[in-house]
Structure formats: C-alpha cells, structure tokens
Amino acid sequence: MRYGLKERLLGAVILIAAAVIFVPFLLEEKRPEIPVADKIITPEPPKPITSNVEKPKIPILPDSLTEQQKQQVVADNKALIDSGLRLNPEGGVDAWTIQVATFGDADNAKRLVGELGKQQYHAYWRKINSLTVVFVGPYIDQQQGREDQDQLLQVQGLKTLLTRYVPEYEAKVQGSLPTVND
C-alpha cells in the first residue's frame, strides 16, 4: 500500500469510531429532570421520658424479731443502699469480672481455676468460640475488681483484662456455659 492510502484509511476508521461514540448522544432525547426538594424535612425528636423513682425505704419489720435482729436488718439495708449497686437497662446488675487467661485446651483452664481457687479467688471458666477463657469475679464494685486485677499482676504475674460480667443465664443462651461433659 502506498503511504497516502494508509493515512486515508486510518482517518476513515477514526471518523467512524468518533461517529459511533458521539452520534447516539446527538440523537438521544432529552429526559425531564427529576425534581429534587430543596428542604429536607425531619421530624422533631421525641421528648425525653421522665420517671420518678422513689428512694428505697427501710422495711417495716415484724414484731417477732428481736431488737438485735431488727438492727441487723436496718444496717444491712443501709449498707445495700450505700453500696453503689446499680441495675442496668436489661434488668440485671452491673457487675465486673477479670479475664485472666485464654486456652485452647480446657484442661489447662481447669488447672488454672483450681490454682486460683486455692488462693481464695472465685475463679470460673467459660467456652467462647473454640477457646476456654478463665475469669475471676464477679465484682459489684469496679474498684474492687481493679484492686484484685493489680494483685493478680503483682503476685501471679498475670496480665488481665477487666470486663463486664456475663451472668449465667446469658452465658447459657450464648452457649458459653460449660456443660456436664466439659
């Protein structure tokens, strides 16, 4: 082929390609624009719910109790009111527990629970996913949990984690409560 013919063919191919791309845009009908609202209307937030909760009252004690028993009941109730015991929205008590260790083998977890029990810690274990996790607690007072956490680090050398306590009924639903076969 001659040099001029190649240029003409290449120019024709480019013009045809440009026509294929741009002719549909020229022949396309204009579509009506979708109306867009200028204002976004949001509902007012609901008013906060208020409730009046009475402070706990010391119960009226039956006459059958001795004076010492009555004083003990009154002292226990005052201690309970001052203890900082709080209910969470789900209806349980806010409590804390210390996650001590995680094992792949349940026998290691059981051995650690036994060692911690000998040292007067309330230790227990749960199955979480395929791992066995050892906990110490629960504690109603977060500060008491932190003190025991520090003691576990100093005495045992265990790096621990203070977490929210999961009660047994929730652990049973989650499937983390050990069974008889474990």
Side-chain angles (χ1 to χ4, degrees):
M1 283 197 199
R2 287 181 283 162
Y3 186 68
L5 183 62
K6 282 184 182 179
E7 289 177 346
R8 283 188 220 134
L9 286 175
L10 183 62
V13 169
I14 290 173
L15 287 175
I16 292 172
V20 167
I21 292 172
F22 293 109
V23 168
F25 289 118
L26 297 173
L27 298 177
E28 186 177 4
E29 295 178 14
K30 289 192 175 187
R31 296 181 185 147
E33 292 185 18
I34 299 172
V36 178
D38 292 339
K39 295 180 181 178
I40 298 175
I41 301 171
T42 57
E44 289 185 30
K47 294 179 182 177
I49 299 172
T50 58
S51 63
N52 296 328
V53 179
E54 296 179 15
K55 279 192 147 189
K57 297 179 183 176
I58 298 174
I60 299 172
L61 302 174
D63 295 331
S64 61
L65 295 177
T66 65
E67 191 61 35
Q68 184 181 9
Q69 289 173 328
K70 288 181 181 180
Q71 288 175 355
Q72 181 64 37
V73 169
V74 169
D76 289 346
N77 282 324
K78 284 183 181 177
L80 182 61
I81 291 170
D82 297 334
S83 70
L85 183 67
R86 302 285 180 258
L87 294 178
N88 63 25
E90 291 83 29
V93 176
D94 276 338
W96 302 91
T97 188
I98 301 171
Q99 180 178 334
V100 178
T102 303
F103 297 101
D105 185 15
D107 292 334
N108 293 335
K110 291 175 188 176
R111 187 169 40 254
L112 181 60
V113 167
E115 290 174 13
L116 292 171
K118 289 177 187 174
Q119 297 169 11
Q120 305 304 316
Y121 290 106
H122 180 258
Y124 62 97
W125 59 277
R126 302 256 170 95
K127 285 276 199 184
I128 299 176
N129 297 327
S130 61
L131 301 172
T132 307
V133 183
V134 177
F135 295 97
V136 170
Y139 301 96
I140 297 297
D141 183 24
Q142 185 178 15
Q143 185 59 37
Q144 178 63 40
R146 291 198 187 282
E147 290 171 7
D148 278 4
Q149 186 180 20
D150 292 340
Q151 189 177 13
L152 283 167
L153 178 62
Q154 292 171 359
V155 176
Q156 298 289 325
L158 297 170
K159 293 182 181 178
T160 60
L161 177 68
L162 188 68
T163 62
R164 290 216 178 265
Y165 173 68
V166 177
E168 285 188 8
Y169 65 89
E170 287 182 30
K172 188 174 185 179
V173 170
Q174 294 171 354
S176 65
L177 197 64
T179 61
V180 177
N181 299 331
D182 291 330

